[in-house]
Amino acid sequence: MMKKNILFVLTMLAAAVGSAGASENVSGYEPSEQVRQSQKEFAADRFGIFIHWGIYSMFAQGEWYLNSGIREDEYCKAARGFYPADFDADEWVKAIKGSGARYITFTTRHHDGFSMFKTAENDYNIVDGTPFKRDVLKELSDACAKEDVKLHLYYSHLDWKRTDYPRGRTGRHNGRDSLNYNWDTYYKFMNNQLTELLTNYGPIRAIWFDGYWDHDEDSVPFNWQLEEQYRMIHTLQPSCMVANNHHENVIEGEDIQIFERDVPGENTAGYSSQDIASLPKETCQTMNGMWGYKVKDTNYKDTPTLVRLLVKCAGMGANLLLNVGPQPNGELPRQSLDRLKEMGEWLSVYGETIYGTDGGDIQSQPWGTTTRKGDKLYVHLLSSDIRDLHLPLDCKVKKAVTFDGKEDVKFSRHNEKGVVLHLPAIPDVPDYIIELTTK
Ligand code: GLC
């Protein structure tokens, strides 16, 4: 036992030394013209749907189930029983499009190591490892293309199954042999899979990495060799953006900045202490409390809460990536479908104040936030007990009307700097919007 431990420490040390010193930075990375175009379209979309789906949905306890002290060689047996009989990619995409979301981020391979697409790298995938035998990613990408919904792919950097993945701080108690890891074969495996993903499924607008934080407690910085990997992605699909949910400051070569479970500028969940970069931003959030399907968790956020979250993100110039965890039978949970529909109803009326806007002149206030498009500044009132509202603006206000009904709203100038809006009684709605025309 002792010997084994010493051997383990030595091998880890050797790996650490081997990977030390190399910089993660791609020096002087400049996004290409195609990436810039994707960034523009992405930022205008403002709303996307995250899908966490894998064989973990069968255990119905979230996507981290394999980290809960069970054995990997037992867990993986679920694959042979995975038959999502009611999966219909067209129905998913229609429901998602109906929510007003304009893109989908799909988990192609999560931390459990199971691939939700046909891969030549191993049989532990939806086509070769389950009786279902259908490439759900192919069906999803076809459905997205039909409905003009953009596709982003989640890809886990960490793996709780493969023995060549150099084990980090998670997935330590599942019986996997972690002494004979081999970064070179693992890195090659990832890049081969990424190549498949970027070759076989049409245009992919972003690769969304996760799991980097698995090595954030290493005594020597772990070298993920991101520079080469990011370059490969940009070469395979020149308009594909790179995002990484590492919870740290943006690394060169990345085209989107991610915030997990928090609006940029807030850090209630503890993952968002990074500096806010000048890249397009995205906040991902769950609809209930978990990403993967969890049968016990029916504590869904209500639609007004989700609308306000979307508005707060837009006010900060960020997209909302709202998660849905499909059931093991392949359907989206009823509670999620209801919320998607209601979000869509709200956006069909108020989308003008969200899509294609920039973060507003005044952001993240106790009363709400603002978004801007050209000479229009939308004041989003997220609380109903406001009467006189001082807006310290650098521009002149020419006109103020309610967004609903376009009725005039009285305002007075305030000490050269901005205006005071004299608000009408605000009805009990998720977001009451005043439209200012500015100069
Ligand atoms: C965290 C979780 C992971 C989830 C991701 C989504 O990284 O570990 O399970 O997929 O957040 O943002």
Side-chain angles (χ1 to χ4, degrees), residues 365-434:
Q365 298 296 310
W367 49 261
T369 191
T370 63
T371 53
R372 179 177 273 285
K373 195 188 278 168
D375 66 348
K376 295 280 187 278
L377 183 66
Y378 301 105
V379 182
H380 299 266
L381 304 168
L382 303 178
S383 147
S384 57
D385 54 3
I386 327 153
R387 292 315 301 264
D388 288 342
L389 180 64
H390 174 212
L391 298 175
L393 297 169
D394 283 331
C395 53
K396 279 226 164 74
V397 174
K398 291 203 294 201
K399 198 174 168 197
V401 295
T402 59
F403 187 81
D404 294 328
K406 305 283 182 255
E407 283 154 32
D408 283 331
V409 172
K410 292 205 179 75
F411 63 94
S412 43
R413 311 226 173 272
H414 189 269
N415 301 342
E416 302 288 310
K417 257 288 215 205
V419 292
V420 176
L421 296 180
H422 307 293
L423 297 166
I426 297 172
D428 185 19
V429 290
D431 174 21
Y432 194 70
I433 305 168
I434 308 292

Side-chain angles (χ1 to χ4, degrees), residues 50 52 63-64 110-111 154 208 210 213 245 260 284 291:
F50 213 163
H52 275 73
E63 79 289 356
W64 271 61
H110 208 272
H111 310 333
Y154 170 107
W208 204 104
D210 189 25
W213 36 258
N245 184 34
E260 180 175 337
C284 54
W291 304 98

Side-chain angles (χ1 to χ4, degrees), residues 29 54 80 92 151 183 206 260 267 345 348 362 376 388 438:
Y29 170 71
R80 288 294 307 146
W92 279 19
L151 188 58
W183 169 252
E260 180 175 337
N267 187 13
E345 284 160 6
S348 68
I362 302 171
K376 295 280 187 278
D388 288 342
T438 64

